Amino acid sequence: MKKKFTPENIQELKENQVFVFGSNMNGNHAGGAARLAVEKFGAIMGQAEGLQGQSYAIPTLDKDMEKVTEEELITYLGNLRNFANKHPEKEFLLTAIGTGIAGFDTNYMAYMVLRANLPGNVTIPEEFSKIKGFKGFNPDMTCRDFKYEEGKDYEEQGDISACSNGFHYCLHPLDVFGYYPPANIGMNKFHEVEGSGDMDVDTDDTKIACSKIHIGAELSIKSIVDAAIKFTFSKCKWIKENIATGYQGAASATGYQGAASATGNQGAASATGNCGAASATGNQGAASATGNCGAASATGNQGAASATGNCGAASATGNCGAASATGNQGAASATGKESIALAAGKDCKARGALGCWIVLTERGEWDGNTYPIISVKAFKVDGKSIKENTFYSLVNGEAVEMK
């Protein structure tokens, strides 16, 4: 059966229909869909949430006219779900809440509405029917024994259920690292994707299952880090400490899946929680990700990126940069001229552009306290004995290409 969407430019309602709009905790319905709800569908000034005539308000801004938190948004959407379930005789026309004055990203709001598991008598706007995200693959572009190709579209039949049936991907860029650790970048592949059709979510993280998927462009570690920072900032209330844009600025994010960005010269960014992302884009900048599955990116000249947690990834793309991965199963990449990539943890790997240096560490088995260092060797990426942009690990004192 063809999916039914909320009509555009609603000017009148049938007797059983309810106009669902985004509001604020002051109940000040002065603009956008809220104003239309007052003028035509019985919305009440001063009432922040719930049924009002033939309209229903969902707060997306708090009393200070700042974005509501994700937890609050989950609660308000849950209230709509419960109300709609109690009134199956009514049809609730959900508009693109949160994407106007509130300033939420449309893709994020589409995910939050999907996560709310609204009943069939709630229609959604067509722009909420597709959700972009990120997907990891094996080196041969397979996932769960199914082979994909970039630029192709795929469709799955049957009931779609997260972790059971359908094409799976993640909304949060760093969630893919939980399934395909960043240490395998260069072997595993990461792509941006768009899901549609029938969809379901796994609320343990931001995993989405869908019946239709489009495989977009492949992403570098820098692209994933940048996407994680953009995602984090787009859905949160603005916290000045999380971004530094001036000369010698400093940014720090300490929570789970936190993101920090320093864009000025000699800036410093640090993400200490698991699945965090740190990015330093100015010259002589420093980025550090210390939690497990973290990612650090330094793109300016003479920049430094460090990933110290297990399965972390560090990337230095500017000239004379340094990337260091010291946690177990980490990956370091240096692509700028005269840069260096250090892989110091157990089962770590490093790669570099032509003319760069890679430093590899071989470690023994666990001795009860650590994985003891057996040897450390440096290699020049000459394009012959050590290939450019190819990951290597140190095995029996020799640089071994990781395939």
Side-chain angles (χ1 to χ4, degrees), residues 21-23 25 49 57-61 67-81 94 97-99 102 104-105 108-116 118 128 234-236:
F21 66 98
S23 68
M25 289 305 295
E49 185 186 8
I58 297 179
T60 56
L61 291 171
K67 294 176 182 177
V68 297
T69 66
E70 185 167 292
E71 292 73 19
E72 290 169 335
L73 195 54
I74 290 171
T75 297
Y76 299 141
L77 285 168
N79 292 341
L80 172 64
R81 178 185 62 244
L94 179 68
I97 59 169
T99 62
F104 280 105
D105 178 68
Y108 173 70
M109 288 304 303
Y111 168 78
M112 293 303 294
V113 167
L114 174 64
R115 175 176 170 157
L118 300 174
F128 284 1
S234 70
K235 70 187 183 72
C236 295

Side-chain angles (χ1 to χ4, degrees), residues 81-103:
R81 178 185 62 244
N82 295 336
F83 189 83
N85 276 324
K86 292 178 180 178
H87 297 277
E89 76 284 358
K90 294 185 180 296
E91 182 181 32
F92 295 82
L93 307 180
L94 179 68
T95 60
I97 59 169
T99 62
I101 297 172

Side-chain angles (χ1 to χ4, degrees), residues 43-365:
I44 302 170
M45 292 293 285
Q47 184 173 333
E49 185 186 8
L51 188 68
Q52 308 171 35
Q54 267 190 279
S55 67
Y56 186 102
I58 297 179
T60 56
L61 291 171
D62 61 19
K63 289 186 176 181
D64 296 321
M65 299 302 286
E66 298 285 345
K67 294 176 182 177
V68 297
T69 66
E70 185 167 292
E71 292 73 19
E72 290 169 335
L73 195 54
I74 290 171
T75 297
Y76 299 141
L77 285 168
N79 292 341
L80 172 64
R81 178 185 62 244
N82 295 336
F83 189 83
N85 276 324
K86 292 178 180 178
H87 297 277
E89 76 284 358
K90 294 185 180 296
E91 182 181 32
F92 295 82
L93 307 180
L94 179 68
T95 60
I97 59 169
T99 62
I101 297 172
F104 280 105
D105 178 68
T106 299
N107 199 64
Y108 173 70
M109 288 304 303
Y111 168 78
M112 293 303 294
V113 167
L114 174 64
R115 175 176 170 157
N117 193 26
L118 300 174
N121 60 331
V122 180
T123 66
I124 64 170
E126 190 167 3
E127 55 262 51
F128 284 1
S129 65
K130 296 180 179 181
I131 302 176
K132 295 179 180 178
F134 304 85
K135 184 171 178 60
F137 302 91
N138 295 313
D140 59 355
M141 283 292 288
T142 59
C143 175
R144 299 173 70 182
D145 299 322
F146 186 89
K147 187 174 179 60
Y148 297 80
E149 291 184 43
E150 183 176 319
K152 294 290 185 67
D153 296 282
Y154 300 91
E155 186 169 358
E156 179 71 88
Q157 303 297 323
D159 293 332
I160 302 302
S161 178
C163 303
S164 179
N165 185 50
F167 304 108
H168 290 73
Y169 65 104
C170 295
L171 179 76
H172 195 302
L174 298 184
D175 276 345
V176 296
F177 290 168
Y179 306 96
Y180 292 84
N184 288 327
I185 291 177
M187 295 186 297
N188 289 337
K189 297 180 182 295
F190 298 84
H191 284 250
E192 57 185 8
V193 299
E194 183 177 78
S196 59
D198 295 331
M199 291 190 281
D200 187 36
V201 298
D202 177 9
T203 55
D204 286 342
D205 57 14
T206 61
K207 183 193 294 182
I208 302 170
C210 61
S211 62
K212 298 179 181 180
I213 193 168
H214 173 77
I215 309 301
E218 185 173 2
L219 299 172
S220 66
I221 178 63
K222 179 185 182 302
S223 297
I224 295 175
V225 171
D226 290 346
I229 292 169
K230 181 180 179 181
F231 176 85
T232 302
F233 287 155
S234 70
K235 70 187 183 72
C236 295
K237 295 181 180 180
W238 191 255
I239 300 174
K240 293 181 180 178
E241 290 78 8
N242 276 355
I243 185 166
T245 58
Y247 177 70
Q248 294 183 336
S252 175
T254 57
Y256 173 72
Q257 291 184 344
S261 174
T263 58
N265 293 337
Q266 299 183 2
S270 173
T272 57
N274 293 338
C275 295
S279 173
T281 58
N283 294 334
Q284 300 179 347
S288 173
T290 57
N292 295 334
C293 294
S297 172
T299 58
N301 294 334
Q302 300 180 359
S306 173
T308 58
N310 295 336
C311 300
S315 173
T317 58
N319 296 335
C320 302
S324 171
T326 57
N328 300 331
Q329 298 182 340
S333 174
T335 57
K337 293 180 179 180
E338 300 181 13
S339 293
I340 185 170
L342 166 66
K346 173 69 172 175
D347 297 328
C348 276
K349 55 188 70 69
R351 71 178 180 184
L354 194 65
C356 290
W357 285 87
I358 61 172
V359 180
L360 306 177
T361 304
E362 183 174 2
R363 290 180 176 264
E365 297 303 315

